[in-house]
Amino acid sequence: AYSVRMDAEEVAGPERWLEEHGDYLFQYAYVRLRNHAAAEDAVQETLLAAIQALDRYDGKTPVRYWLRGILRHKTVDYIRKAAREINVDDTEDSEILDSLKFKAFGIPTRTPPPWQFSPDKAYEQQEFWEVFYSCLSKLTDTMGQAFALRELEGESTENICKELGLKPNNLWVVLHRARTQLKACLEKHWTESAS
């Protein structure tokens, strides 16, 4: 039977982790945190935590995914902390009003127009991801965090609401706005760079 257990040399080489997995870990953190410095800090904290926990690593999981598991906890902690510190601004007030409209009438206040580009064709192109990250960073903190937790982490509505302190209807509005703004930004910037 095939075993995924890592050999002792790979496990015992934390000095190589940054070189071998640093870009992957940074990208993972950046997509979720949308802040360059915070993503770097999260990767650094992950590597320190992994070195401290190395004696508990059993080698059944590849090092990259073991590190990603630690990083995931670090990014969730950062998002929770940031969510507690978010001030309500005009955007939040507007989202709350939209949420009330949704509750009262049961339909979204605005329907986004159809997509103008094909994600299938753009998916594997590095330029697309650069534009995507740029567009993602333009979302408000709440929208970016909600989008990352739902679409990139696959978190449930219940977990996202707990982490961000939102009601389910408000989360729906936040995600709707995030998708609409990302769509508009991608259509504008990806279409320009792809033509």
Side-chain angles (χ1 to χ4, degrees):
Y2 175 73
S3 171
V4 293
R5 181 173 292 278
M6 303 292 109
D7 63 25
E9 183 180 325
E10 182 174 353
V11 174
E15 64 278 352
R16 294 193 329 237
W17 291 349
L18 184 60
E19 180 183 326
E20 292 177 7
H21 310 295
D23 290 343
Y24 170 79
L25 295 171
F26 176 79
Q27 184 175 8
Y28 182 93
Y30 184 79
V31 166
R32 284 141 188 88
L33 301 177
R34 300 177 321 106
N35 178 299
H36 194 275
E40 285 180 341
D41 289 347
V43 171
Q44 185 176 22
E45 289 174 22
T46 296
L47 294 173
L48 289 173
I51 290 169
Q52 292 169 351
L54 186 57
D55 61 329
R56 294 190 305 268
Y57 175 62
D58 62 10
K60 291 181 181 176
T61 306
V63 172
R64 172 173 287 202
Y65 302 113
W66 176 64
L67 292 171
R68 185 183 69 187
I70 296 170
L71 178 59
R72 183 180 187 284
H73 291 291
K74 299 292 181 191
T75 59
V76 168
D77 290 344
Y78 179 89
I79 290 169
R80 284 182 182 150
K81 181 181 178 216
R84 287 192 297 268
E85 296 171 357
I86 292 173
N87 295 324
V88 175
D89 60 11
D90 293 340
T91 304
E92 289 292 318
D93 292 340
S94 173
E95 289 171 0
I96 291 168
L97 288 175
D98 282 352
S99 176
L100 293 174
K101 290 177 190 174
F102 177 73
K103 269 186 179 176
F105 303 109
I107 56 173
T109 54
R110 283 171 271 158
T111 304
W115 289 87
Q116 298 296 316
F117 76 101
S118 170
D120 292 338
K121 292 178 185 171
Y123 182 78
E124 294 181 6
Q125 298 180 20
Q126 180 64 30
E127 295 84 9
F128 169 77
W129 290 112
E130 290 170 8
V131 172
F132 177 80
Y133 297 140
S134 173
C135 289
L136 188 62
S137 70
K138 293 176 184 172
L139 297 177
T140 66
D141 285 342
T142 302
M143 282 193 281
Q145 291 166 358
F147 182 85
L149 288 169
R150 165 69 83 188
E151 303 301 336
L152 304 173
E153 290 291 329
E155 288 289 336
S156 68
T157 297
E158 182 181 351
N159 287 343
I160 297 170
C161 288
K162 279 183 196 174
E163 288 182 24
L164 300 180
L166 299 172
K167 300 285 184 200
N169 281 342
N170 189 258
L171 175 61
W172 185 91
V173 171
V174 168
L175 287 170
H176 175 74
R177 286 178 170 228
R179 290 177 184 123
T180 301
Q181 288 183 25
L182 274 173
K183 177 182 164 291
C185 183
L186 287 170
E187 284 179 343
K188 179 179 180 187
H189 297 289
W190 176 248
T191 305
E192 287 174 1
S193 65
S195 31

